[in-house]
Amino acid sequence: MQNKIYLLGVFFMLLPFFLQAQTTGEVTYEVKIGHQEKEEEGIVARAQKQARRGASDLSFILAYNKNEAKFYLKDDLQNKNKDATIAAAVAEYFNPVYTNLKEKKYYFHSPKNPYDKNGKYFIENEMFEDWELKNETKKIEGFTCNKAVGNMDIEEGDKTIHKELIAWYCPEVPVSIGPLGYGGLPGLILELQVDEVLYGAKKLSLDKEVNIEFPIKGEKITEKEYLKKKLSERP
Amino acid sequence: MDYGITDKKGRYKLHLQKELAYEISISFLGYESQELILTPQDTLKKYNFRLQESSTALDEVIITQEYNPVKIKKDTIAFDVKAFTNGDERKMKDALKKIPGVEVDKNGGVTVNGEKITQMLVENKSFFGGSTKLAVDNIPADALDSIEVLSNYTPTKFLKDVTDSDETVMNVKLKKDKKKFVFGDIEVAGGNRRSYKLHPALFYYTPKLNLGYIGDLNNVGESVMTYEDLIQFRGGASRMVKDKEGLSDLKDFVQDNDDVLRNKSQFSAINYGVEANDKLYVSGIGLFSKLYLQHKTVGQNEYLTDEIPFMEDKETHQDNQSLLGMFKLKLDYEKSEHENWKYTFQFQNSAHKNNTDLTSKALQDSTSVISNNQTDNLSFKHYIEWNKAFRKDLKNTLTINHNYENKKPQDLWTSNQVFLQNYLPWENDSLYTVNQDTRIKTHRLYGLNKFYWIINSHNHLYFTVGDDYRKTNFNQTAFQDITNGEKNSFAQEDFGNKMNYDFNDAYVKLEYKFMIGKLTNTAAVGFHYYTMKTHQIENNTSLSRFYVEPEWESTYEFSDSEKLKLKYSLENDFPKSELLNNRFEIRNYNAVSRGNALLKNERYHNASLRFTKLDYYSGLTLFAFLTLSKKTKAISQERVFDGINHFSIPVIGDNPTHQYNFMAAIQKKIAHFRLGFNTNLNWYNFTQSIDGVYSKNEINFQKIGAKIETDKKSWPTASLSYDKKFQQYTGLSSSKIQSDIFKAEFDYSFMSNFIVRADYEYSIEKNKTQKHTNHYQILNASLAYNFKESPVELNFSVQNILNNKSRYSQSISDFLKTETRYYVLPRIFLLGVTYQL
């Protein structure tokens, strides 16, 4: 049996040009919504159908530099049709996601809802790190991607929400990020599937200069606290 | 697989293990990636990669690839049946055989990518207790929609992360064709020698209710269930507790009985499942089986009790009649996603009658004995189990089991001359009849509570408190039935037993499971307090012991498909009541035994090493298994012979007993063939006393085999195999036997309506010490024709085409070598029709 080792270059000194290329850039992602193992009937199934339709209208941008990243919807959701709004909700995107790569944390403003009309919280989340690297590889547009899978459990009150993750990351692009707040893999995530929702990279602009500003607005709160609040504030 | 990142200057450091081969791949955007292969022989300390710029410009890349979400569910493989079948398939097994990686063997066992399916579910519910044979033989192929294979299966989802399950389960999803809730078929066949077969299988499925019925009437030696099926039917114990009890009393029901002169079998079983509400599921089985078997054997026993062994010629005619009724009820209550309750009740009643005419010739004596045995056995088992996850990291299982058995064997031996002459206090008579009535009542109550603490994903701590209590009431009388109606009780001569037996094992067990990289370890220690009490006619004994029982298990996963597992445990085994009876008991027409109330526990070390590699894609499967067992204190039988008659008593000694076993099998796909080799080597050595002489005994067994099979869908399925077995015994005398078995199987569908099947076996048995050889051959064949677009299939089969009269087998035990010729069912032609609903 052979053990495979991936060695990723950083090469600051040798390649000053790539210093920029590798630490700042922009990736465009599309989203696709697949079928659930158990597709319920009625309202949920209808929403899923709408979301599948609306997903084609969504395009996300991941901008990143050395320490930070921002993942956001290309055009404002307000301008979109209802199907697209549902698609974004199914894809679990509510507001731009800011990632602090050093601290391995990501943030976003709480989604607006009847009891939090303005989205007053700025929610802090831990980046998912429990990836299991697999031996499988596949090519995405000439890039060799490796597979990683993860099982995520989120506790919401007395309920545990379980999520299955499949990521295809590309060691040739040595940045540890991906869509939403995901990352922490030895390479850019080109394809990410969270349960039935798939984010796939459509365009890579790898030397584009980006500017990311962390918002200051909003009450900082951890995800756990937020979920607790959300449950208690529910009318 | 692993990865590393260079520093800013492009420097890197890798920690590699010796004796391993590595493939190092370096990649960086805008440069061609490079690879370096390191073999274990390389002594390379430093390596500089010089990257070449890639020709493709990379400032902007547009990805045109289509993304497609996959259906995810961990540990699951799903097959859409219609993608693999063409509509010619009749039964589920025909459809399964067409799915890549799925194999169905002759006994209805199913493997997927080399892994054995341990349970069969239909629509996520257990099918006839989980039997794969009943499912693949009975579910019509056209009822199947898709098939899922779930590995590491546990019925309680929220305990998945804390249960090590080796179970691989197949779940069958039925077609959602609303009109077809009833499906099934009926097979009718008849032939020469008044042979017949009737086999209906009917199923009714709705989302809330499912019913299944399987019936069978035949006199051609076919069994409907396998031994495993019956074990699963009986499965009256929680999975949390080990239940080692065997099934000896019901063996006849599950064997394919063609080693018989006559055979008549009646079988009826129903399976039911009702979804009472969202949370409660009620299911179960009802089963009735009646079996009549007639055996004839001729054989020779060689008593290895002296330097010059002596022979006994033996001939038996046996009539067996067995009746079995069974009922099972199962309640599954899913209180919430984090809590469930289970209750199972199983009731069983069986009656077994055996009548054997036996003639034995040894030395100058010839004995004819008729033995009659009738055993009624009534038992029930039930248990309750409660599982709860308090938090994501704190979980608990509680189970309480209760078993009850009332067994009444009645034995009667009759002869016109005295047998067991120096053992039984006979009174003179014209006909000598001895009667032995036994009543054994057993209660077993055992329960445990296991608490799981998941410290983090790499460290688990489990804590178990348990108790196992057994109570046995043993009552036995032996007497001579004198023809004038009087009874000559043997009680004065120390025959007959009366015993109350109490055994208790109270324990706490601590398990720590931890993961280091790809290595998973479980260290466990159990603290057991054992008490054993017997109350008998002559004396009472009581014993209590405290033991620490350690266990260790390590699993190293090289990859998803390659695993090495090491296991060690130190265990204590206490004697059951039947070994402790301190008065005489008649075992057979030539054997009397006594138990020994002074027996203590056996102590043994067990170690095993298992390596598996299942690389389905390269077509290689490899399996190697080594077990070592050493008993530091072992129970052995002391035997005293008087011609063919003997007396035995169990004793416990400090003479260690060793057993080593090595098994390996390798299978590789080459072109359109699958080639396999397997071996099984077994060494067993122990000390035994025969006629007061202690001797070292050794029984060794070796088997090697090879098999080649076709592996191409458009070809006929054909296989050829050859097995060679050796067995040696050395003790006071020595003996050697060996056998060669050739097998061929053929299965071919042609012209889309015909299926032809045949199997052939040729076996040679050699007795090395006596220098004689026996052989036999068996050939079966069948031809089926199904009318296109019609539910009718015609089937013509011939069993035992060569009209072979007997089968032959030999074996060696600790003092006896037996050679037996079994008379088998003669040639049978059967013509049958199957009608599908």
Side-chain angles (χ1 to χ4, degrees), chain A residues 3-10 12 15 32 134 141 155 158 172 186 193 195 198 201-204 206, chain B residues 2-4 6 8 21 23 25 27 29 31 59-61 63-67 70 72 338 392 560:
Chain A
N3 295 274
K4 195 153 186 165
I5 292 186
Y6 285 91
L7 201 55
L8 311 174
V10 179
F12 276 81
L15 303 153
K32 280 206 168 169
K134 295 282 182 184
E141 205 72 27
E155 277 189 44
D158 56 357
E172 289 163 51
Q193 193 171 338
D195 286 339
L198 183 146
K202 290 311 276 183
K203 192 171 126 191
L204 311 178
L206 296 167
Chain B
D2 211 340
Y3 67 91
T6 67
K8 291 173 184 178
E23 179 188 341
S25 131
S27 57
L29 193 67
Y31 290 80
D59 354 5
E60 203 162 282
V61 185
I63 295 174
T64 51
Q65 169 142 357
E66 274 282 314
Y67 292 99
V70 292
I72 329 180
H338 307 283
K392 214 172 86 183
D560 290 350

Side-chain angles (χ1 to χ4, degrees), chain B residues 686 695-700 728-735:
Chain B
F686 57 97
S695 64
K696 285 253 177 225
N697 289 262
E698 228 178 88
I699 299 178
N700 298 331
Q728 304 91 30
Y729 168 88
T730 31
L732 287 171
S733 67
S734 69
S735 186

Side-chain angles (χ1 to χ4, degrees), chain B residues 17-124:
Chain B
Q17 278 177 294
K18 271 187 197 169
E19 289 151 18
L20 281 180
Y22 286 92
E23 179 188 341
I24 295 167
S25 131
I26 178 148
S27 57
F28 186 66
L29 193 67
Y31 290 80
E32 300 282 359
S33 53
Q34 287 188 15
E35 269 168 5
L36 171 71
I37 308 268
L38 286 181
T39 63
Q41 289 75 39
D42 282 332
T43 49
L44 196 69
K45 289 266 185 314
K46 191 178 160 187
Y47 189 81
N48 287 320
F49 291 95
R50 190 169 291 274
L51 296 181
Q52 299 294 314
E53 261 187 77
S54 158
S55 49
T56 39
L58 275 173
D59 354 5
E60 203 162 282
V61 185
I62 302 289
I63 295 174
T64 51
Q65 169 142 357
E66 274 282 314
Y67 292 99
N68 282 310
V70 292
K71 263 191 198 173
I72 329 180
K73 222 175 149 203
K74 225 187 149 196
D75 302 327
T76 308
I77 318 172
F79 302 101
D80 185 357
V81 176
K82 64 180 176 303
F84 302 99
T85 54
N86 58 18
D88 289 345
E89 303 77 17
R90 304 300 283 194
K91 295 288 177 160
M92 182 172 160
K93 62 180 168 199
D94 305 323
L96 286 182
K97 281 178 186 168
K98 299 203 171 163
I99 297 174
V102 181
E103 282 174 52
V104 182
D105 67 27
K106 230 173 107 186
N107 304 318
V110 181
T111 57
V112 177
N113 293 354
E115 273 185 71
K116 187 157 174 54
I117 300 294
T118 49
Q119 252 208 82
M120 187 66 80
L121 308 177
V122 174
E123 296 283 326
N124 288 311

Side-chain angles (χ1 to χ4, degrees), chain A residues 3-233:
Chain A
N3 295 274
K4 195 153 186 165
I5 292 186
Y6 285 91
L7 201 55
L8 311 174
V10 179
F11 303 114
F12 276 81
M13 302 305 277
L14 297 167
L15 303 153
F17 174 73
F18 273 93
L19 175 73
Q20 278 195 323
Q22 84 92 33
T23 44
T24 148
E26 213 177 55
V27 186
T28 310
Y29 288 94
E30 65 167 3
V31 66
K32 280 206 168 169
I33 294 164
H35 292 263
Q36 276 179 340
E37 184 61 33
K38 249 199 205 159
E39 194 101 86
E40 279 135 320
E41 282 171 17
I43 194 159
V44 183
R46 268 210 305 284
Q48 284 276 344
K49 215 179 251 177
Q50 268 184 305
R52 239 171 263 138
R53 263 203 315 264
S56 57
D57 271 356
L58 301 179
S59 180
F60 295 91
I61 303 222
L62 171 69
Y64 62 89
N65 61 32
K66 207 174 146 196
N67 298 324
E68 290 152 343
K70 181 184 177 185
F71 181 80
Y72 58 97
L73 195 63
K74 203 172 171 187
D75 314 293
D76 204 337
L77 207 55
Q78 238 96 77
N79 307 327
K80 301 274 182 197
N81 55 33
K82 202 177 167 215
D83 289 355
T85 320
I86 291 172
V90 169
E92 304 208 359
Y93 175 84
F94 306 105
N95 282 312
V97 180
Y98 299 88
T99 307
N100 184 328
L101 294 166
K102 278 226 168 107
E103 289 175 11
K104 299 196 165 172
K105 281 180 180 160
Y106 68 95
Y107 304 85
F108 59 90
H109 282 105
S110 55
K112 290 171 189 167
N113 59 41
Y115 34 91
D116 177 13
K117 279 191 179 113
N118 303 314
K120 59 181 173 186
Y121 300 112
F122 194 47
I123 306 163
E124 178 188 298
N125 294 273
E126 306 274 323
M127 240 166 132
F128 179 78
E129 281 190 275
D130 256 348
W131 293 105
E132 191 188 340
L133 303 185
K134 295 282 182 184
N135 258 332
E136 264 175 82
T137 60
K138 76 170 179 187
K139 290 246 180 201
I140 295 178
E141 205 72 27
F143 288 101
T144 305
C145 292
N146 292 311
K147 190 180 183 175
V149 297
N151 284 296
M152 195 162 69
D153 284 314
I154 304 155
E155 277 189 44
E156 204 172 332
D158 56 357
K159 228 169 78 186
T160 307
I161 298 166
H162 180 78
K163 283 183 180 169
E164 306 250 354
L165 309 174
I166 303 175
W168 292 92
Y169 63 96
C170 172
E172 289 163 51
V173 188
V175 286
S176 274
I177 48 166
L180 287 172
Y182 293 96
L185 285 165
L188 174 71
I189 301 175
L190 289 186
E191 183 184 330
L192 173 76
Q193 193 171 338
V194 183
D195 286 339
E196 80 276 31
V197 179
L198 183 146
Y199 286 93
K202 290 311 276 183
K203 192 171 126 191
L204 311 178
S205 310
L206 296 167
D207 60 345
K208 191 168 178 173
E209 258 197 86
V210 297
N211 213 353
I212 297 163
E213 267 178 35
F214 257 61
I216 9 170
K217 187 186 96 155
E219 189 187 328
K220 228 180 187 179
I221 185 172
T222 65
E223 187 193 26
K224 243 188 192 152
E225 289 166 339
Y226 174 71
L227 290 172
K228 225 187 264 168
K229 268 214 163 76
K230 193 174 121 188
L231 290 169
S232 63
E233 280 175 16

Side-chain angles (χ1 to χ4, degrees), chain B residues 220-277:
Chain B
V220 292
E222 265 176 40
S223 86
V224 191
M225 299 183 283
T226 63
Y227 188 70
E228 284 82 12
D229 292 343
L230 197 56
I231 291 195
Q232 268 172 341
F233 276 6
R234 297 228 307 183
S238 158
R239 281 165 192 268
M240 298 301 298
V241 293
K242 281 187 213 160
D243 201 4
K244 289 182 199 160
E245 282 156 63
L247 273 182
S248 53
D249 52 329
L250 298 173
K251 243 184 186 154
D252 279 342
F253 289 107
V254 292
Q255 281 164 345
D256 253 346
N257 293 301
D258 40 18
D259 294 349
V260 291
L261 275 184
R262 284 181 66 201
N263 166 303
K264 243 194 248 177
S265 149
Q266 294 173 28
F267 176 91
S268 257
I270 58 158
N271 180 54
Y272 62 94
V274 188
E275 214 162 272
N277 58 46

Side-chain angles (χ1 to χ4, degrees), chain B residues 106 258-260 741-745 758-764 775-781 798-808 822-827:
Chain B
K106 230 173 107 186
D258 40 18
D259 294 349
V260 291
I741 301 158
F742 298 92
K743 276 185 190 168
E745 276 178 47
D759 61 83
Y760 174 72
E761 182 182 335
Y762 182 70
S763 175
I764 307 167
H775 55 88
Y776 68 85
Q777 48 186 340
I778 293 209
L779 174 66
N780 302 310
V798 190
Q799 255 174 259
N800 193 1
I801 294 178
L802 305 167
N803 207 10
N804 173 52
K805 294 279 184 297
S806 58
R807 230 177 237 277
Y808 187 82
Y822 297 90
Y823 285 79
V824 301
L825 287 175
R827 185 191 298 134

